[in-house]
């Protein structure tokens, strides 16, 4: 009975990894300094897990940028355009591109806010093992006296998460399985030689609906790797949901262990696992502690689960349900959070402690952890009965919502005419997604204000100056619908969370979103209400500085939920409705203040989509209702925009339509406008701004490139329905990129018009 996890946060509790890598990119440190710092971060990380008392430590879950990218380089799946480079240059070129080479596409990792880089494969991809970096980490761990369990992205998940770039449209990455297995076999031999006892193959794809070929591939891969003679023992792991019909594939595989998600998400498997014949003689790693939840674990329930679920297994280990990558590091630094809330929370380090406690209870009996169990019972009772997070007025208002409240009375075509009469926009109007670069001065001003070093008046005047600058810039460049630039927002969710009751911000709760980008998800812990208007002052100030329309910018209810840690004591849809009502009041206030265009961003709509199709409709019902509830309080002539990025939208086109927004801007540049075809094929009838500039790369596209993309969109959708805009907000870019790129974008729109 050991305690373990599937992965631990990578960025360091002070985001040292981000600082090191970005320092390297900017030329502040050289490669060897970077590698030294990275080694340091990795060793500190291992030490944390060891000192927490974890028996078995994951190794290989660390990554400089992304673990799927690491796997691609590990198995030699390097696209031709990057193949001329080597080492870190190649790695970062694949991750973020260079001036002349495009990076891999990036997309959401399962139903999380983590983004991975999508490996590109063709029928001709020849894999070749490049294990240097992984073996270095293994050696490092062993040298530190750690018992590693090496975590690998499993071959079938790797292929399923990859994309085909083959000419032949019938080619599917899964067809490369045999070739890839040969490389995994070689790797397992190398790991056995290093003295690694256990290797875990992460196959979270098993928590999704599999086609027959992928399911057969899963069986086949475990047979092939299981049959190897010179190999470490193997655990196959799945997480982020229940295995359902895929459970037998994994449980019956000829390997030595199975790791399963037994958090609420995976709980449905418990009955099938109990005394499963495939578990005989095997090690079961029971993920009884939710690796993605910040709420404390019900220790009694977890212990009970761990004791019963593995009746048929040789041993049962206590683990998190998945990697702790999605959790902030530690709660002890959150000294400003209400202690009543702190008492209910557990971040990565507290989760380690829970797992260690449970393993001890399992091994030594309840008495060994009697104090912990008693404290936890008390804690649960407190959460159930305390009232400080309750707002009965909010509950009553949410309960009274009717279908009509979530519907704009007039159909889109009529609204569009009223909006065009009101706004008078040209063909192919140009706009941006909201944020402008966050300069050092803005960040400094915000930090100073938050720390109380400058007063409201001087803060507001600095923000006004910035808004003025951004408005002037947009006027000079010639954009049609302007934005105020969002200088007052550090984060598009946190900004609203700070102004809503029931939601709490952390100080240090950073979680990796992609590469070096970390976010600090707020905690939605209670009933949500708006205290006062949240954006009206900034938007009206911006509007007062220009004749052109300024778009009001809000973050949508689904995204606020997706990018927060949400209370687990009521259905998500219930919480979404409360947030939607607060936003609805803001939308109505913006309109009343003279805002003619209002954008409600929902970049995370696709992200929360359940992994199983059977669960989609129930989710989309509440998600769509929440968006509509927040946007339907306005007159016909007020134009509602929404924005989405980073997703395969094909799955949610129907829901995008059902949002009934007048205009949607979408990430499209990296995928060469594929989304436009999906919308056209679905008969989508409203206006669309498919991004013509991939703002996640430092590359500035030229006029011709953006014109070509815009033309493609116009050919597919028709000339009155296309907007020209970037893929996403500009806050992570610098003005040296933004100015030329927006000039090119406006020039492209003009070329298209003529
Ligand atoms: N309005 C936001 C911005 O421009 C949207 C960001 C996003 O889609 N993630 O920053
Ligand atoms: Zn975006």
């Amino acid at each position: 009975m050991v305690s373990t996890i599937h992965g631990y946060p990578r960025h360091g509790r002070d985001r040292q990894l981000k600082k090191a890598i970005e320092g390297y990119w900017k030329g502040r440190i050289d490669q060897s300094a970077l590698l030294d710092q990275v080694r340091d971060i990795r060793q500190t990380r291992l030490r944390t897990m060891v000192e927490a008392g974890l028996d078995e430590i994951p190794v290989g879950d660390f990554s400089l940028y992304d673990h799927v990218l690491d796997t691609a380089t590990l198995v030699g799946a390097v696209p031709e355009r990057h193949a001329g480079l080597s080492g870190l240059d190649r790695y970062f070129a694949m991750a973020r591109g260079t001036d002349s080479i495009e990076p891999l596409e990036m997309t959401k990792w399962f139903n999380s806010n983590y983004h991975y880089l999508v490996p590109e494969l063709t029928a001709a991809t020849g894999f070749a093992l490049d294990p240097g970096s992984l073996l270095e980490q293994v050696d490092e761990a062993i040298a530190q006296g750690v018992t590693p369990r090496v975590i690998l992205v499993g071959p079938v998940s790797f292929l399923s998460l990859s994309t085909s770039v083959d000419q032949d449209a019938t080619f599917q990455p899964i067809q490369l399985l045999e070739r890839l297995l040969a490389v995994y076999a070689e790797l397992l031999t190398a790991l056995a030689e290093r003295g690694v006892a256990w290797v875990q193959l992460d196959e979270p794809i098993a928590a999704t609906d599999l086609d027959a070929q992928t399911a057969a591939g899963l069986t086949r891969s475990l047979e092939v790797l299981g049959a190897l003679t010179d190999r470490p023992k193997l655990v196959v792991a799945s997480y982020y949901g229940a295995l359902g019909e895929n459970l037998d594939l994994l449980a019956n595989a000829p390997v030595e262990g199975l790791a399963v998600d037994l958090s609420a998400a995976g709980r449905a498997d418990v009955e099938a696992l109990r005394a499963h014949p495939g578990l005989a003689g095997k090690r079961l790693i029971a993920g009884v502690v939710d690796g993605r939840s910040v709420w404390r674990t019900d220790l009694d329930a977890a212990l009970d689960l761990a004791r019963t679920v593995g009746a048929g297994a040789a041993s049962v280990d206590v683990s998190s349900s998945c990697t702790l990558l999605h959790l902030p590091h530690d709660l002890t630094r959150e000294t400003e959070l209400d202690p009543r809330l702190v008492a209910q929370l557990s971040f990565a380090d507290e989760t380690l402690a829970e797992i260690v406690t449970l393993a001890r209870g399992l091994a030594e009996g309840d008495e060994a952890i009697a104090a912990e169990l008693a404290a936890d019972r008390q804690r649960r009772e407190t959460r159930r009965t305390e009232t400080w997070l309750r707002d009965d007025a909010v509950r009553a208002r949410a309960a009274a919502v009717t279908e009509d409240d979530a519907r704009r009375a007039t159909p889109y075509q009529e609204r569009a005419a009223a909006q065009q009469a009101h706004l008078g926009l040209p063909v192919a109007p140009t706009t941006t997604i909201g944020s402008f670069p966050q300069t050092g001065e803005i960040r400094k001003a915000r930090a100073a204000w938050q720390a109380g070093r400058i007063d409201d008046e001087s803060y507001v005047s600095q923000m006004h100056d910035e808004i003025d600058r951004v408005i002037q810039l947009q006027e000079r460049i010639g954009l049609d619908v302007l934005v105020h630039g969002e200088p007052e927002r550090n984060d598009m969710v946190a900004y609203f969370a700070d102004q809503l009751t029931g939601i709490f911000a952390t100080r240090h709760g950073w979680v990796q979103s992609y590469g070096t980008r970390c976010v600090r998800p707020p905690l939605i812990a209670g009933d949500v209400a708006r205290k006062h208007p949240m954006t009206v002052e900034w938007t009206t100030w911006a509007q007062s500085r220009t004749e052109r329309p300024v778009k009001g910018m809000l973050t949508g209810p689904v995204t606020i939920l997706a990018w927060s840690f949400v209370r687990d004591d009521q259905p998500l849809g219930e919480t979404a409705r409360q947030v939607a009502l607060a936003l609805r009041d803001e939308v109505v206030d913006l309109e009343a203040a003279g805002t003619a265009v209002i954008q409600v961003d929902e970049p995370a709509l696709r992200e929360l989509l359940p992994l199983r199709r059977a669960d989609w409709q129930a989710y989309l019902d509440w998600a769509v209702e929440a968006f509509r509830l927040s946007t339907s309080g306005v007159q016909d002539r007020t134009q509602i925009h929404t924005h989405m990025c980073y997703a395969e939208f094909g799955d949610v086109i129907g829901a995008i339509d059902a949002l009934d927004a007048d205009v949607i801007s979408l990430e499209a540049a990296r995928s060469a406008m594929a989304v436009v075809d999906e919308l056209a094929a679905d008969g989508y009838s409203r206006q669309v701004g498919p991004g013509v500039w991939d703002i996640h790369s430092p590359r500035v596209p030229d006029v011709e490139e953006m014109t070509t993309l815009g033309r493609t969109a116009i050919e597919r959708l028709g000339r009155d329905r296309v907007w020209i805009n970037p893929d996403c907000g500009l806050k992570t870019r610098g003005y040296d990129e933004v100015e030329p790129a927006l000039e090119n974008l406006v020039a492209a729109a003009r070329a298209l018009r003529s």
Side-chain angles (χ1 to χ4, degrees), residues 433-435 486 492 553 563 601 603 643 645 728-729:
I433 308 305
S435 57
E486 304 178 24
M492 63 183 286
M553 301 296 315
W563 294 352
D601 290 327
H643 165 73
C645 42
C728 195

Side-chain angles (χ1 to χ4, degrees), residues 24 109 116 141 151 154 187 234 236 249 282 314 336 349 367 401-402 416 452 534 593 613 657 726 737 750:
Y24 171 72
W109 169 252
Y116 75 95
I151 311 284
L187 174 62
L234 293 175
V236 58
L249 298 185
K282 280 189 190 167
E336 284 159 43
D349 287 349
E367 317 73 55
V401 165
T402 68
M534 304 182 283
R613 244 166 227 277
D657 210 0
E737 297 148 347
R750 289 188 179 139

Side-chain angles (χ1 to χ4, degrees), residues 29-361:
I29 60 169
D30 65 9
Q31 178 157 330
S32 80
L34 171 65
L35 296 177
D36 281 349
Q37 292 184 22
V38 167
R39 210 165 298 123
D40 236 38
I41 293 164
R42 281 203 304 245
Q43 292 183 357
T44 308
R45 205 173 161 265
L46 284 182
R47 222 174 308 121
T48 306
M49 291 186 263
V50 172
E51 282 165 11
L54 216 56
D55 299 311
E56 196 182 54
I57 311 283
V59 169
D61 64 305
F62 178 81
S63 175
L64 264 188
Y65 199 94
D66 164 46
H67 55 275
V68 180
L69 173 61
D70 291 3
T71 312
T73 59
L74 173 71
V75 302
V78 178
E80 236 166 78
R81 65 181 183 283
H82 303 115
L85 297 166
S86 63
L88 279 185
D89 289 344
R90 186 183 73 184
Y91 185 81
F92 288 131
M94 288 170 79
R96 40 191 318 256
T98 67
D99 286 347
S100 53
I101 309 177
E102 292 195 38
L104 297 178
E105 247 192 72
M106 185 155 57
T107 196
K108 299 266 185 197
W109 169 252
F110 294 89
N111 55 349
S112 78
N113 182 27
Y114 177 79
H115 306 70
Y116 75 95
L117 288 152
V118 184
E120 295 175 8
L121 304 174
T122 71
T125 301
F127 298 110
L129 185 64
D130 182 2
S133 146
L134 179 66
L135 294 180
E136 186 191 328
Q137 293 176 54
V138 169
D139 291 345
E140 203 174 273
I142 292 173
Q144 269 184 269
V146 155
T147 308
R149 184 170 85 260
V150 172
I151 311 284
L152 301 174
V153 175
V156 177
S157 290
F158 176 77
L159 293 173
S160 303
L161 296 169
S162 299
T163 187
S164 161
V165 291
D166 202 287
Q167 305 284 329
D168 177 358
T170 64
F171 167 75
Q172 288 174 9
I174 191 72
Q175 291 164 352
L176 299 176
L177 183 61
E178 296 301 321
R179 230 181 278 168
L180 182 60
L181 288 177
V183 173
Y184 272 76
E186 214 183 308
L187 174 62
L188 292 179
T189 307
L191 290 169
E193 276 165 13
R194 285 306 216 260
V196 170
W198 284 94
V199 169
Q200 174 167 314
L201 299 169
D202 278 359
E203 293 287 12
I205 202 73
T208 69
D209 300 322
L210 299 181
D211 59 39
Q213 204 179 359
T214 308
L218 210 44
T219 306
R220 168 80 187 153
S221 68
L222 295 166
E223 272 167 18
V224 170
L225 299 177
L228 297 171
T229 45
D230 290 329
R231 63 161 177 86
K233 292 183 188 155
L234 293 175
V235 179
V236 58
S238 177
Y239 39 81
Y240 301 141
L243 283 161
E245 75 286 357
N246 300 327
L247 191 144
D248 288 341
L249 298 185
L250 300 195
N252 293 330
V255 294
E256 291 70 32
L258 175 68
V260 288
D261 176 348
L262 297 174
S263 70
R267 200 70 51 88
D269 288 336
V270 172
E271 278 314 311
L273 278 167
R274 216 171 270 172
H276 192 290
L279 290 183
K282 280 189 190 167
R283 164 180 190 191
L284 180 71
I285 301 183
V288 294
V289 173
D290 191 332
R292 288 173 71 173
S293 164
V294 295
W295 304 99
R296 293 206 80 96
T297 303
D298 176 338
L299 294 181
D300 283 314
L303 208 49
D304 207 42
L305 197 55
R307 285 199 176 115
T308 54
V309 71
S315 67
V316 179
D317 301 321
V318 178
S319 167
S320 53
S321 61
C322 63
T323 168
L324 306 185
L325 181 70
H326 311 291
L327 291 180
H329 260 99
D330 65 320
L331 189 57
T332 52
R333 299 174 81 179
E334 302 302 333
T335 48
E336 284 159 43
L337 270 187
D338 190 305
R340 291 172 293 184
L341 183 54
V342 170
Q344 301 297 338
L345 298 173
S346 97
F347 291 174
D349 287 349
E350 291 74 24
T351 300
L352 289 182
E354 289 180 338
I355 290 166
V356 170
T357 299
L358 287 167
R360 189 146 50 88

Side-chain angles (χ1 to χ4, degrees), residues 432-436 486 489 492 553-555 559 563 599 601-603 643-645 696 727-731:
T432 60
I433 308 305
S435 57
F436 266 69
E486 304 178 24
R489 301 181 199 177
M492 63 183 286
M553 301 296 315
L554 303 175
T555 302
T559 299
W563 294 352
Q599 179 169 312
D601 290 327
E602 284 291 22
H643 165 73
M644 292 180 196
C645 42
H696 290 94
D727 263 352
C728 195
L730 307 177
K731 79 169 179 210

